[in-house]
Amino acid sequence: MAQEKGRFTDSRVVLHVCGGIAAVKVPELISSLRKEGAEVRVALTSAATSFISPLSLRALAGHPVHLGLLEVDDTLEGAGMPHLELAGWADIHLVVPATASTLARMAAGIADDVVTSTLLATTAPVLVAPAMETNMWEHPATRVNCALLAQRGVHFVGPVSGRLASGKEGEGRMAEPAAILAAAAFLLVEPGPLAGVEVLVTSGGTREAVDPVRYLGNRSSGRMGLCLAEEAAWRGASVHLVTAADLSPSSPAVAVARVETAEQMRDAALTVLPKVRLVLMAAAVADYKVARPARSKLHRGDVPQLRLDLVPTVDVLAAILDKRRPGCLVVGFAAETEDVRERGLAKLARKGCDMLVANPVFGDHSAMGGDSAEGIALMADGREISLPWASKEEVAKRIIDLAQGLLELDQGVLGPE
Ligand code: CTP
């Protein structure tokens, strides 16, 4: 098969296939991995063979597939013990789909087939893509098993919400192959300059209830914060993304906490703050909330004129600045409709953060809601760096470059503490 240079060039990937209907996506995964340069070997549980033909997988992978602990594979170097050979050969193991049963066996350290034995014998990263019915995913046994595996360093991608094997809708659908590949690619990159650094990113527009169906909100999409979180993760950081937006990161190094209100955002941010060395406060936090949201839906004609009594929300950034530990750098953001630089400078001084990114939200180059942005980075040390109109991914790279520079200045060479 012709190989393009890609994210998996020269990577050795073992795909562990379990018995679930999502196994039908495995051929697509193998083809994509090989197109991007990976060498792929496949191991199957006995249940997997009822869902997908080992012969097809052998043809796609270009290697014999592993079905049992006692089947010798002459194409692998070693002493004729497939699980040890696969465990040592792989740069990464992908468990796709990961069934409730295989997750349970992994959590318990059971090694009763080639899949679980290999996973027990390896020191390479393991990424699991769970797929099962919602009740099975939410069952306390599965919750405990997943928490245990995550605590031991197993990485998860998905599951997502959608149509399940039963035809019902719910959480438990396997992540799409593209998301699984993106997560695997993140795990294979060399430790970057932010390895060992914990980063907090906030994103999205907070929402304050008017009644059970309506809210006060803003036009923020949460995309800038998502790009910042992914860029920091690419550079090796462990990222906590506290978000009021619906977007999901593809990196398993980004842990997501979903919130709605300013108060929830503050609480979630303060929970992780003690371990964090860099805060990127990209969220558009609503400044006011309704003093007394209606308990039931307001109806047209209930009152001749509806007046909402608004009171200030908490200032999340102020709470973070107040509680941050010494050496924790804080970057604020400001979206302005006029006098962007002057208002940005005033806000930088008033808020007391280490850097403030001021974005215009007028004219053709508005940062709010779209895929591109521009702005100016104002540093507490007096430097002003222009961020020209570019994709939010590019702008995020420049912002992280500047923040990383500040961290290096402040703490010498970066590295785990
Ligand atoms: N911010 C916050 N909590 C709030 C309001 C704002 O944490 N309740 C943060 C934003 O995430 C951003 C910075 O403060 O990083 C500046 O936000 P902005 O809305 O521009 O500033 P305000 O304090 O609301 O000031 P103004 O209303 O004068 O623009």
Side-chain angles (χ1 to χ4, degrees):
M1 186 183 291
Q3 291 191 349
E4 296 163 12
K5 192 130 177 95
R7 292 173 295 180
F8 296 95
T9 301
D10 298 330
S11 301
R12 294 165 153 197
V13 180
V14 177
L15 258 173
H16 299 267
V17 187
C18 308
I21 190 64
V24 297
K25 304 253 179 88
V26 170
E28 183 187 341
L29 262 174
I30 298 176
S31 303
S32 305
L33 281 164
R34 292 197 69 197
K35 256 193 219 148
E36 291 207 51
E39 196 179 339
V40 181
R41 288 178 180 270
V42 182
L44 289 94
T45 63
S46 60
T49 57
S50 305
F51 290 87
I52 187 99
S53 140
L55 195 62
S56 313
L57 300 184
R58 177 189 179 125
L60 287 166
H63 289 297
V65 299
H66 294 264
L67 297 164
L69 274 169
L70 303 175
E71 288 172 19
V72 177
D73 175 358
D74 293 333
T75 67
L76 271 171
E77 303 261 309
M81 288 186 271
H83 63 298
L84 299 185
E85 289 156 1
L86 284 173
W89 177 84
D91 295 316
I92 189 166
H93 297 267
L94 310 183
V95 187
V96 181
T99 54
S101 154
T102 296
L103 290 168
R105 286 185 299 142
M106 288 169 68
I110 292 172
D112 59 353
D113 64 4
V114 68
V115 165
T116 49
S117 302
T118 305
L119 294 171
L120 199 62
T122 195
T123 52
V126 176
L127 175 68
V128 300
M132 64 198 75
E133 288 293 309
T134 309
N135 286 350
M136 296 170 79
W137 176 245
E138 289 177 351
H139 193 284
T142 309
R143 297 290 83 245
V144 168
N145 290 333
C146 290
L148 196 59
L149 290 169
Q151 195 190 327
R152 289 188 196 140
V154 170
H155 302 275
F156 284 75
V157 53
V160 294
S161 289
R163 199 176 157 77
L164 303 169
S166 61
K168 289 185 191 155
E169 295 278 326
E171 199 179 359
R173 190 180 158 86
M174 190 174 83
E176 286 304 318
I180 297 172
L181 291 176
F186 266 109
L187 293 173
L188 282 169
V189 291
E190 295 291 312
L194 291 177
V197 176
E198 300 219 17
V199 175
L200 164 64
V201 181
T202 66
S203 79
T206 56
R207 296 171 172 191
E208 304 292 343
V210 173
D211 69 15
V213 295
R214 304 181 181 90
Y215 61 82
L216 295 178
N218 59 65
R219 294 180 200 279
S220 165
S221 65
R223 208 170 145 62
M224 190 71 235
L226 182 74
C227 292
L228 288 163
E230 300 224 296
E231 184 57 29
W234 264 115
R235 298 183 191 202
S238 299
V239 182
H240 307 272
L241 177 64
V242 176
T243 182
D246 221 5
L247 304 175
S248 292
S250 48
S251 166
V254 182
V256 180
R258 298 203 186 270
V259 296
E260 202 170 279
T261 65
E263 205 165 311
Q264 289 167 359
M265 182 168 276
R266 178 199 58 190
D267 293 348
L270 292 185
T271 305
V272 295
L273 191 65
K275 15 183 201 180
V276 161
R277 283 164 80 185
L278 172 63
V279 180
L280 299 156
M281 186 69 212
V285 187
D287 283 332
Y288 288 93
K289 63 178 180 180
V290 178
R292 283 169 305 281
R295 291 230 178 96
S296 52
K297 186 182 167 188
L298 298 168
H299 291 282
R300 180 200 290 271
D302 276 354
V303 281
Q305 192 177 10
L306 181 63
R307 287 180 191 277
L308 293 176
D309 194 8
L310 301 181
V311 293
T313 55
V314 290
D315 188 331
V316 184
L317 185 57
I320 287 172
L321 286 163
D322 183 42
K323 295 264 173 359
R324 68 168 157 175
R325 63 171 177 162
C328 170
L329 288 159
V330 178
V331 179
F333 288 73
E336 300 292 351
T337 51
E338 64 271 320
D339 306 326
V340 179
R341 176 177 170 273
E342 291 67 27
R343 285 179 180 274
L345 281 170
K347 219 168 260 186
L348 174 72
R350 188 175 83 233
K351 300 249 175 191
C353 32
D354 303 287
M355 170 175 152
L356 187 125
V357 177
N359 302 116
V361 284
F362 55 85
D364 297 339
H365 286 188
S366 170
M368 203 87 163
D371 287 337
S372 300
E374 71 175 352
I376 176 165
L378 306 164
M379 320 292 268
D381 60 17
R383 285 179 297 148
E384 295 183 16
I385 295 113
S386 139
L387 303 168
W389 181 249
S391 68
K392 286 188 174 168
E393 283 85 357
E394 280 307 313
V395 176
K397 278 187 192 153
R398 301 223 42 211
I399 293 170
I400 300 280
D401 280 344
L402 293 169
Q404 201 177 298
L406 284 180
L407 275 175
E408 278 161 7
L409 276 182
D410 207 46
Q411 319 210 353
V413 179
L414 281 178
E417 288 165 307

